[in-house]
Amino acid sequence: MTEETPNKSAVVTGASTGIGEATVRALRKEGWNVFAVARREERLATLAAETGAVAIPADITQDADVAQLLAEVTEAGGADTLVNIAGGARGTDKVGEAKTDDWTWMFEVNVLGTMKLTRAFLPMLRANGKGTVLNLTSTAGLVAYEGGAGYNAAKFGQHALTGALRLEEAEHNIRVIEIAPGMVQTEEFSLNRLGGDRTAAENVYQGVENPLTAEDVADVVRYAVTAPHHVNLDQIVIRPVAQAANHKVIRKNT
């Protein structure tokens, strides 16, 4: 734990599973007060019981939920760090077969959800004097690939939002961090993207030696937000060694 971490407080979205859940655990181990945010109340309650985090069920795409979340965090003493992890992908269709509902969902969760949470909490972060916003994007937001257009577009949007935010908030001493993971094997990401087809989801990682885990990414998040405040890790790209690029993945025994 660094000298700056005592009494630090973070809002972490997407906390019911995967990288969000792992981030809550990582920050709680550092002694942070953590507000764990997600839609699934039962999973949040279990996480809170195990870690001591404060569970706040909310849908980040809904204005009323965001307002209630802000009110509850304010009443509980506020936060100096916002960790936007909630997001996801739906479908692998090419543009010619794109499903509007899938694209709409991806933009609402990845881009508009991030915007709504950040907009709501910026006054609190500015008032703190040493605020941090960390956005989890993706390597899909840096390089496009076939069958990824909807997710590419959403994550490119979130990436652009993050860059603009950094420029706008530097004068308020808010550091803005982007972490862009590549291939991460989590409980639900590929399963949700592929419509619940477990076999197809498992095939995404077939033959890949040591894909990243949620804990790997959460450890990078922890490091980024616990570094001294004058240290801003603008953008961190993290991939497994087996994934040299989005289009080059080494698969063994396949």
Side-chain angles (χ1 to χ4, degrees), residues 59-178:
D59 182 340
I60 65 166
T61 68
Q62 300 301 309
D63 293 340
D65 282 20
V66 171
Q68 182 61 34
L69 169 61
L70 178 62
E72 291 188 36
V73 172
T74 300
E75 185 176 356
D80 55 75
T81 300
L82 175 61
V83 183
N84 288 307
I85 292 180
R90 282 191 180 174
T92 57
D93 298 321
K94 295 182 179 180
V95 175
E97 292 79 42
K99 296 179 178 64
T100 300
D101 287 348
D102 287 348
W103 281 57
T104 298
W105 182 87
M106 286 187 279
F107 271 83
E108 286 181 344
V109 174
N110 293 286
V111 182
L112 296 180
T114 297
M115 178 275 288
K116 289 181 178 185
L117 260 291
T118 304
R119 181 179 63 188
F121 279 91
L122 274 178
M124 180 184 294
L125 300 179
R126 291 168 180 165
N128 178 273
K130 287 187 176 182
T132 296
V133 177
L134 185 148
N135 291 340
L136 189 84
T137 61
S138 170
T139 56
L142 306 177
V143 179
Y145 56 90
E146 292 175 275
Y151 189 52
N152 290 144
K155 284 300 186 182
F156 265 87
Q158 191 184 29
H159 163 71
L161 180 160
T162 305
L165 182 69
R166 185 179 301 114
L167 296 172
E168 293 165 357
E169 296 301 323
E171 65 185 87
H172 300 295
N173 200 33
I174 293 178
R175 62 178 174 181
V176 178
I177 301 164
E178 176 183 7

Side-chain angles (χ1 to χ4, degrees), residues 8-37:
K8 299 283 281 183
S9 183
V11 174
V12 179
T13 69
S16 63
T17 190
I19 296 169
E21 178 184 346
T23 296
V24 170
R25 296 183 186 278
L27 293 180
R28 284 296 297 150
K29 287 180 181 178
E30 289 283 334
W32 283 47
N33 180 38
V34 179
F35 299 96
V37 181

Side-chain angles (χ1 to χ4, degrees), residues 208-221:
V208 179
E209 189 172 41
N210 297 320
L212 297 178
T213 66
E215 289 72 23
D216 291 329
V217 181
D219 192 48
V220 175
V221 174

